[in-house]
Amino acid sequence: MYRYGNYQQSNGIRTLRKMYCQHSRLSIIMFRAVLLAVCVTLARSDTPANCLYEDIRGTWTFQETERSGDSSLNCDQLGPVVHTKTFTLSFPDTATDELGNEGTWTMIWNQGFEVNINERSYFAFSYYEGDFTSSTSFCDRTFNGWSRDKTIRNWSCFSAQKNTKTTPRISQKVKEAVPSRAFKNDQKMVDDINASQTSWKAKVYEKHEKYSAEEMFLRAGGPGSVLPSPPSPAPATPQQKARVSFLPENFDWRDVEGANYVSDVRDQASCGSCYVFTSLAQLEARLRIATRNQRQDVFSTQDVVSCSLLSQGCAGGFNYLIAGRYAMEQGVVADECNSYTGQDDTCDTDTSCARTYVSDYQYVGGYFGACNEELMLQSLVENGPLSVAYMVYDDFFNYEGGIYHHTGFKNDFNPLEMVSHAVLVVGYGVDSSTGEKYWTCKNSWGADWGEDGFFRIRRGTNECSIESMAFDATVIP
């Protein structure tokens, strides 16, 4: 049995994961939080914390223990403080220490933040008290976090306190629980979609009715991903526009000089694990590219769902923490080492399995809030498929083919909020008859959905926020 050692440390995060495993279905219905948008638009995270960009920007004091641990280091208790560091986090992503050395930092939605400076990397979750039914966020402090150097050695624990106080954020009072009921297809909505436009076609998928409304909610992202207002991509610079002008008009990693570098479509079932599927699909594709298809690994999503406390299992998570920190620090394993069950099972990964790692990761553009179409195009062609998040609306469930855009039609049978879903961008193009630009994306709802498990979506308009938060990672072959 395998457990991600150093990320078992925070009592708050451990309690959160336990709560998810026990109460995930109830929390799907009950949890709603008030979210504000500032400067860099943030989305609700998988913890009850709700910290905004301006809460984090500023000067912090980090209290750090001796740098002599490994990845199993327990940080439940901070221990003796050996290093005291002062980091100033400035707009948009510059970190400066008390000696004037510079590094970088980024928000990870509103869940926490990461600082990379002086050849060390620091990550901590923002501090909160309470749970999904009622919580208060104290954004001027963190839970105990973990630091290590760039070689993934010399681990330490730390806690961080902002030098100026911020006002605690109290979550909105939750709604009463909505009774569970089966998901029902809406033929009238499908007919209205097809009658109102010609860019894409909709149809009824009978298999959806084997799920409850809550399970369909999980398939589309789960409670950790609701976006009450869509993020915006960063404005493209003249230099960025000039670089992409040399790229081909159409490109697809499924057919590059006759070679396919994209692994098969899988089905996440009723588990809110789309963030794991897209994270690992990205690593699978980039490994195939790096090895010219000599390695065609399929990685274990269940290992992340059951074993990583950087995720919240079937209730959601973040590609930055999975295809990024988790893959760099602990590595990913083959699917047969812990086969997918689609449930929050006890961790049972075969410890004898070899692991594959990444050497670098970042949001496209360098930090959360810097992404745009031009940077995505360049990274997609130069580096490989991109993991992205976007808003799933009711009409998207019925997508059959074409270039998707949100029509505004809503399934009257669905009582749940819209959510943000994670998928893999594998290509882009321009429709030869209409001139409409699109992204081609790999979904995780099975090969019998959409265009053989893939879909196309409008490009260049930030449709459903798809151009606002792409993620990049470099896999080690």
Side-chain angles (χ1 to χ4, degrees):
M1 182 178 295
Y2 170 77
R3 173 61 70 179
Y4 190 11
N6 64 294
Y7 283 101
Q8 296 182 64
Q9 318 320 328
S10 166
N11 285 325
I13 302 304
R14 185 194 298 111
T15 301
L16 174 66
R17 180 59 180 272
K18 181 179 179 182
M19 178 183 67
Y20 255 129
C21 294
Q22 294 176 342
H23 304 297
S24 59
R25 288 180 64 85
L26 180 60
S27 66
I28 293 167
I29 304 299
M30 295 184 66
F31 176 45
R32 285 187 176 181
V34 173
L35 192 65
L36 303 176
V38 294
C39 193
V40 177
T41 306
L42 302 173
R44 191 175 68 199
S45 78
D46 289 321
T47 75
N50 176 27
C51 297
L52 306 181
Y53 183 87
E54 291 300 330
D55 294 331
I56 305 302
R57 183 168 74 158
T59 300
W60 291 74
T61 298
F62 282 41
Q63 300 285 329
E64 188 179 355
T65 64
E66 183 180 3
R67 298 169 177 174
S68 59
D70 58 23
S71 62
S72 64
L73 179 66
N74 188 307
C75 292
D76 278 351
Q77 302 297 322
L78 186 61
V81 173
V82 175
H83 307 278
T84 299
K85 301 293 295 182
T86 301
F87 297 134
T88 298
L89 312 182
S90 304
F91 178 83
D93 69 327
T94 300
T96 308
D97 72 6
E98 69 279 3
L99 301 177
N101 299 308
E102 288 192 356
T104 61
W105 74 283
T106 183
M107 294 283 294
I108 301 169
W109 291 32
N110 59 356
Q111 182 173 3
F113 62 97
E114 181 183 78
V115 179
N116 293 287
I117 191 170
N118 298 330
E119 305 303 309
R120 292 190 67 81
S121 181
Y122 299 81
F123 170 74
F125 291 98
S126 295
Y127 186 79
Y128 65 89
E129 293 180 356
D131 55 30
F132 281 101
T133 61
S134 178
S135 66
T136 302
S137 300
F138 298 89
C139 300
D140 51 15
R141 57 182 292 200
T142 68
F143 285 104
N144 289 346
W146 309 272
S147 174
R148 41 82 180 166
D149 65 25
K150 289 188 69 174
T151 68
I152 323 300
R153 299 183 179 93
N154 303 313
W155 287 72
S156 65
C157 304
F158 78 95
S159 66
Q161 180 79 50
K162 195 175 183 183
N163 291 7
T164 55
K165 293 288 186 181
T166 62
T167 302
R169 298 186 180 277
I170 302 174
S171 67
Q172 185 182 18
K173 201 74 173 169
V174 300
K175 290 178 60 179
E176 294 297 322
V178 179
S180 174
R181 57 176 169 175
F183 179 86
K184 292 187 178 296
N185 286 300
D186 188 339
Q187 183 64 57
K188 182 180 184 303
M189 183 180 73
V190 170
D191 294 340
D192 289 342
I193 291 169
N194 291 331
S196 67
Q197 49 80 48
T198 58
S199 291
W200 63 282
K201 293 182 179 180
K203 76 171 187 178
V204 164
Y205 288 92
E206 296 297 336
K207 74 172 187 177
H208 288 169
E209 295 197 355
K210 72 180 181 181
Y211 298 114
S212 68
E214 295 95 327
E215 288 171 334
M216 287 294 287
F217 180 72
L218 284 173
R219 278 174 70 80
S225 306
V226 175
L227 291 168
S229 59
S232 298
T237 66
Q239 294 82 4
Q240 291 169 355
K241 292 181 178 180
R243 282 195 293 268
V244 300
S245 67
F246 294 100
L247 297 179
E249 185 176 60
N250 299 278
F251 185 85
D252 195 320
W253 279 106
R254 294 173 297 174
D255 184 6
V256 178
E257 298 180 349
N260 177 16
Y261 295 99
V262 179
S263 55
D264 291 342
V265 173
R266 301 174 70 187
D267 193 337
Q268 69 189 77
S270 60
C271 175
S273 53
C274 59
Y275 68 102
V276 185
F277 277 89
T278 183
S279 293
L280 299 186
Q282 181 176 33
L283 301 184
E284 291 163 1
R286 293 195 172 196
L287 184 61
R288 293 179 182 213
I289 294 167
T291 64
R292 302 297 189 270
N293 268 330
Q294 293 302 302
R295 284 188 61 179
Q296 297 192 7
D297 301 49
V298 175
F299 294 123
S300 171
T301 54
Q302 196 63 43
D303 174 66
V304 177
V305 169
S306 295
C307 304
S308 173
L309 292 183
L310 285 179
S311 78
Q312 305 308 329
C314 281
F318 297 90
N319 50 15
Y320 190 92
L321 295 178
I322 301 309
R325 279 195 92 88
Y326 185 74
M328 174 178 280
E329 296 173 352
Q330 300 295 332
V332 295
V333 298
D335 184 62
E336 56 265 26
C337 300
N338 194 347
S339 298
Y340 188 63
T341 67
Q343 300 179 19
D344 281 310
D345 292 336
T346 301
C347 179
D348 193 26
T349 299
D350 184 348
T351 57
S352 68
C353 288
R355 289 188 171 263
T356 299
Y357 299 85
V358 304
S359 61
D360 192 22
Y361 61 92
Q362 64 176 359
Y363 287 113
V364 169
Y367 57 92
F368 187 87
C371 187
N372 58 37
E373 177 196 7
E374 287 76 11
L375 289 173
M376 288 176 62
L377 286 168
Q378 183 180 355
S379 181
L380 176 66
V381 173
E382 294 180 356
N383 302 324
L386 296 170
S387 176
V388 298
Y390 68 103
M391 284 290 291
V392 166
Y393 295 97
D394 282 8
D395 58 357
F396 185 75
F397 287 119
N398 298 103
Y399 172 87
E400 179 181 14
I403 301 174
Y404 172 80
H405 66 275
H406 177 42
T407 61
F409 292 107
K410 179 176 174 59
N411 184 340
D412 293 334
F413 295 102
N414 187 356
L416 302 172
E417 296 287 345
M418 297 302 102
V419 299
S420 180
H421 186 45
V423 294
L424 189 72
V425 176
V426 301
Y428 64 86
V430 178
D431 186 273
S432 58
S433 59
T434 65
E436 191 171 17
K437 300 192 303 180
Y438 61 84
W439 299 106
T440 301
C441 303
K442 175 186 176 182
N443 203 354
S444 52
W445 292 351
D448 57 348
W449 177 92
E451 298 178 333
D452 299 322
F454 294 80
F455 67 95
R456 287 173 290 161
I457 186 171
R458 278 183 179 172
R459 172 169 62 90
T461 61
N462 195 32
E463 181 66 39
C464 300
S465 305
I466 199 167
E467 291 156 5
S468 62
M469 56 187 79
F471 173 77
D472 223 338
T474 304
V475 68
I476 302 173

